[in-house]
Each structure stands twice: as structure tokens, then as C-alpha cells.
Amino acid sequence: MKGSATARRRRWVQGAVLVCVLALLPATWIRLSTDSRIRADIADAPRAPVALVFGAGLWDGEPSPYLAHRLDAAARLYRTGKVRVLLVSGDNSRRDYDEPGAMRDYLTDRGVPASRVVADYAGFDTWDSCARAARVFGVRRALLVSQDFHVRRAAALCRAAGIDSYGIPVREPRDATWYAGGLRELPGAVKAAYDAALTPDPHFLGPREPGVRRALAGSAKHHGHPEKHNGHHSKHHLHRSDKPRESDRQP
């Protein structure tokens, strides 16, 4: 009996170790595959036409602190000439929750011209944001803006979506929020491996949109002539009819 119990414990331990190893494989893949694609800071970032900014939630209709920090970094990328257009991608699945609109307003309130900010209203998760940036907005090269614990996964997924990208990590204090975000990356890495391997359609694909192409064309036209920012018009650059309706979302 004693030998039988010992054998069961050994099998249990072996099974637990195997589960842990399998769970860590996707995270290991992400780290190894993106090491050369992460830049230490904005000064070290290469130039790219577009910066893709991932949503991180709203607090009372305003960007959460983590999202605000991402947007601050994106604004710096624009002001320093690292990128010409900012593509803000987030959730607008409900009429009362407009994450990309809040991101856009935050940027224009801080001096980024409205004509250089393009909103993707169907970036429901990281894969959707990457896949739609490539397939809907025609992005082929981009800088990716997110917190350091998330930007590697974003880089791996954007690479799988066909975007030549570099991650710009936003540094945060190592507090409870940061550790919780890092912990969520473990199941996030499993889903990322699935998305990268199978490249499924995003939840809402929709037709191609010319917003990024037009913004880049306008940037080239006005190169060397800084635009005047008019905050009163920032909310009207993209029409509500351009956004996917909740009834249009695929299951």
C-alpha cells in the first residue's frame, strides 16, 4: 500500500510538472521570438509610418492610467518624428463605451493633429487589433505601444498578422497592478499561440478602410509644415457611420 501511494504521488508530481512546462511554452516562445523586436525606449525606436496603440480600458469615460501612459508615449513618438500617424485601437462594442474615441480625444487635447489620429473601433483584443491593422487599415510597418508586460505578445501577434513591427514598452511601477497584468499574460500567451498558428479572422473584419492611407498622404503633403491643432473639430474627423454596429459583430 505504501509503495502504491508513493507511485501515485510521483505520477501526480510528474503530471503537475508537465502541465507547468506546457503552460510556460507559449510565454517562452513569445519572449524568444520577439527579443530583437523590443526597443528600450522611444529614443531607440526606429522610424515607422504608424504607431499602433492598444486599448487598456476607460475609467468613467476617460483613459485608465495605463492607457493614458500608452497615449503619452504615442504622442511623444509623433512629436519626435518617429511616426507620422497614430492608429488607436480599442473596444466600442457598446454605444456607451467608446474607447477609441476617448483615446483620440486624449491625443488631440495634447496637441496631436486630429488628421493624424485614426481610430479602429473594433480592436476587441490584441489579435483583433493586429489583424485589423493589417487587413483593414493596410498597415505593413508599425511601432507598437503598450506596457512592457504586454508589448512582447503584441509584437508576436502583429508579426503573425504580417506587420513588420517593433515594440515600445511603457514602463510602470512594479506594483500590484503590474504583477496582475503580468500574470494575465500566461493565459494570454496560450491564446496568442493559437492566434499566431491559425490566424483566425478578427471578431469584426469588415471592409478595408482608407483612414491610415489618407492620414499618411496628408502627412506627406504637409511635410515640414506643422499643422495647427483645432480641438473643436477633433471629434468629427471619423463619422459614427464608419464604426461597426453591435449588430454587425460576428459571433
Side-chain angles (χ1 to χ4, degrees), residues 159-211:
R159 180 179 181 180
I163 300 175
D164 179 18
S165 58
Y166 289 85
I168 309 301
V170 178
R171 310 293 180 184
E172 301 287 352
R174 298 302 197 258
D175 56 11
T177 302
W178 186 90
Y179 284 109
L183 188 61
R184 284 196 300 270
E185 286 302 300
L186 291 176
V190 175
K191 181 180 182 300
Y194 168 87
D195 289 333
L198 301 181
T199 60
D201 285 343
H203 290 87
F204 182 88
L205 181 57
R208 291 183 67 88
E209 296 189 17

Side-chain angles (χ1 to χ4, degrees), residues 49-190:
V50 178
L52 174 57
V53 190
F54 297 87
L58 302 179
W59 289 9
D60 296 325
E62 299 294 328
S64 67
Y66 268 28
L67 181 53
H69 297 165
R70 296 181 189 187
L71 295 168
D72 290 338
R76 286 181 58 200
L77 286 170
Y78 177 81
R79 286 194 294 266
T80 56
K82 294 290 186 176
V83 298
R84 293 153 52 199
V85 170
L86 304 180
L87 175 59
V88 294
S89 182
D91 186 353
N92 184 213
S93 58
R94 305 193 315 266
R95 292 182 181 275
D96 62 342
Y97 190 86
D98 185 0
E99 189 175 20
M103 296 165 74
R104 180 184 177 84
D105 289 346
Y106 185 97
L107 289 167
T108 56
D109 287 346
R110 283 153 182 79
V112 178
S115 59
R116 300 292 174 262
V117 184
V118 179
D120 175 10
Y121 293 94
F124 301 128
D125 60 22
T126 305
W127 171 248
D128 281 8
S129 294
C130 293
R132 282 178 54 84
R135 297 175 62 182
V136 175
F137 293 93
V139 175
R140 292 293 174 262
R141 180 175 170 83
L143 302 183
L144 313 176
V145 184
S146 188
Q147 268 68 32
D148 50 2
F149 57 75
H150 171 250
V151 76
R152 287 180 177 272
R153 177 159 59 96
L157 288 174
C158 279
R159 180 179 181 180
I163 300 175
D164 179 18
S165 58
Y166 289 85
I168 309 301
V170 178
R171 310 293 180 184
E172 301 287 352
R174 298 302 197 258
D175 56 11
T177 302
W178 186 90
Y179 284 109
L183 188 61
R184 284 196 300 270
E185 286 302 300
L186 291 176
V190 175

Side-chain angles (χ1 to χ4, degrees), residues 1-56:
M1 294 292 292
K2 183 176 181 181
S4 176
T6 301
R8 284 197 300 270
R9 283 196 298 270
R10 184 182 299 113
R11 286 194 296 269
W12 185 90
V13 171
Q14 290 171 341
V17 170
L18 179 62
V19 168
C20 291
V21 169
L22 292 176
L24 291 174
L25 279 178
T28 303
W29 158 71
I30 286 176
R31 174 164 288 276
L32 294 178
S33 67
T34 60
D35 264 347
S36 65
R37 291 284 166 165
I38 305 301
R39 293 295 178 258
D41 51 37
I42 289 175
D44 191 39
R47 295 183 186 274
V50 178
L52 174 57
V53 190
F54 297 87

